Amino acid sequence: MIGLGPLLRKELLEQWRTRRMLVVAIVFTAFGIGSPFLARYTPELVKALAGDQLEIIIPPPTVRDAADQFLKNLGQAGILTAVLLAMGSVAVEKERGTAALLLSKPASRAAYLLAKMLGITATLGVSLAIAAVGGFAYTAFLFETLSPVNWAAMTGLLLLMLVVYAALTFLGSTLTKSSIAAAGIGVGGMILVAIIGVLPGVGPYTPGGLSSPAMALALGTDAGNVIGPLLTNLGLVAGLLAVSWLVFRRQEL
Amino acid sequence: MTFEEILPLLIPLLVLQLALMGVGLYDLTRPDRKVKGGNKLVWGLVIVLGELFGPLVYFLFGREDV
């Protein structure tokens, strides 16, 4: 793949110099450490707000609640961030003419797309890793210490889920010259995946279906079949990138 | 649970929120910074009132020449 190294270096530098990586890392870390905190103190806050007049029975929070909050909060914030990061990645450079300028140098279109997607993945991955360290520490302090390897495995599955949604939006960004339209395609794809996930037997293989084994992995319980959903989602990312390339290689820039 | 008990755990969250806002406002107030729509006040409000996502939206879409 001609020019992948320099293009990837340019992408990573851009993610850092435009402060995208820093800002996403701060946002994810806030959600990462905020999740166990909320899991621990929300029942007490509800009780305090309800006062003595209402008798509310809330079971004491457990480490499961902390992992659940972590997955839910970072899942939602992460999907939104993945869409925001990917929506303008190719579309804006096509609109500004930067893509044509870059590809006038010895670099293939496949390398250009792969470098862009790897840049987005790096931002999501680094940010999620920092958030996971914070979330792990807060969970250990407020509840109990889970296995760091299991927590890392959960984070890995969460990252894969975000990368699938980023790849969906990335395809949209390749198809159009408008970042808003790209976001629309990304969100439309997410809805489509959610609908497909309702079909019997398909749900566990969708990106959203990764959250159940991720939760089980974090808690060290039986995660069931992880390899199938893992390979399916990796294949989905590869497939979306391949379609992006098929579209992009014939486009007039 | 008392406020004094949870304060040490809340401080890192507050620091992150303020850091995010600070980085956003620092970038916005650079004299050479041009923003989408041309109105820095609007983007300032997005950064300050948009909680965690406000600065993120500014860094991804607010700047003209990035």
Side-chain angles (χ1 to χ4, degrees):
Chain A
M1 209 170 285
I2 307 160
L4 180 63
L7 284 171
L8 181 58
R9 200 161 44 244
K10 174 223 162 239
E11 280 307 314
L12 293 174
L13 263 176
E14 197 175 294
Q15 295 285 333
W16 180 250
R17 284 190 183 154
T18 56
R19 298 201 179 93
R20 281 178 199 162
M21 198 179 267
L22 175 71
V23 171
V24 174
I26 295 175
V27 171
F28 278 18
T29 307
F31 278 104
I33 65 175
S35 300
F37 180 84
L38 279 176
R40 171 68 182 80
Y41 290 110
T42 299
E44 291 186 40
L45 280 171
V46 171
K47 273 185 192 165
L49 289 172
D52 299 330
Q53 290 161 354
L54 280 172
E55 184 67 31
I56 301 174
I57 301 164
I58 303 170
T62 63
V63 71
R64 170 176 268 278
D65 297 309
D68 192 39
Q69 282 274 356
F70 183 88
L71 269 173
K72 273 186 190 157
N73 292 341
L74 271 163
Q76 287 164 4
I79 289 171
L80 182 61
T81 308
V83 171
L84 289 173
L85 281 172
M87 63 192 263
S89 55
V90 181
V92 169
E93 291 205 349
K94 280 193 292 186
E95 192 189 2
R96 286 181 183 163
T98 328
L101 189 73
L102 274 171
L103 290 166
S104 66
K105 298 190 164 92
S108 69
R109 290 192 178 203
Y112 172 82
L113 289 182
L114 190 60
K116 287 250 164 239
M117 194 61 210
L118 287 174
I120 294 168
T121 305
T123 296
L124 290 172
V126 168
S127 305
L128 207 50
I130 298 168
V133 171
F136 180 80
Y138 261 58
T139 304
F141 184 73
L142 292 168
F143 295 94
E144 62 182 88
T145 308
L146 293 168
S147 156
V149 176
N150 288 352
W151 192 265
M154 175 197 68
T155 309
L157 285 187
L158 185 58
L159 174 64
L160 177 58
M161 183 176 91
L162 301 188
V163 172
V164 175
Y165 290 121
L168 261 172
T169 313
F170 188 77
L171 171 63
S173 192
T174 312
L175 285 169
T176 69
K177 273 192 174 182
S178 151
S179 28
I180 302 294
I185 292 169
V187 172
M190 269 158 55
I191 294 168
L192 186 68
V193 168
I195 293 169
I196 293 169
V198 178
L199 296 172
V202 181
Y205 296 91
T206 60
L210 289 171
S211 55
S212 294
M215 179 75 175
L217 281 173
L219 299 172
T221 55
D222 181 22
N225 176 22
V226 184
I227 303 298
L230 183 76
L231 292 177
T232 308
N233 281 282
L234 284 172
L236 202 54
V237 173
L240 287 164
L241 276 176
V243 176
S244 300
W245 173 70
L246 286 171
V247 173
F248 189 64
R249 69 178 180 154
R250 295 184 186 280
Q251 266 178 2
E252 200 172 314
L253 298 173
Chain B
M1 171 191 68
T2 62
F3 185 67
E4 286 75 22
E5 277 170 21
I6 63 169
L7 188 63
L9 295 167
L10 267 178
I11 287 173
L13 277 170
L14 292 172
V15 168
L16 287 173
Q17 171 78 63
L18 289 174
L20 205 51
M21 210 183 283
V23 172
L25 290 175
Y26 172 77
D27 188 89
L28 180 71
T29 49
R30 278 170 50 185
D32 57 337
R33 172 63 63 221
K34 289 191 176 80
V35 292
K36 295 257 170 71
N39 193 335
K40 285 193 174 186
L41 180 65
V42 172
W43 283 108
L45 289 172
V46 169
I47 292 167
V48 174
L49 302 176
E51 294 194 14
L52 289 170
F53 282 103
L56 181 64
V57 170
Y58 165 70
F59 275 103
L60 289 176
F61 305 108
R63 299 176 295 177
E64 194 66 76
D65 48 347
V66 179

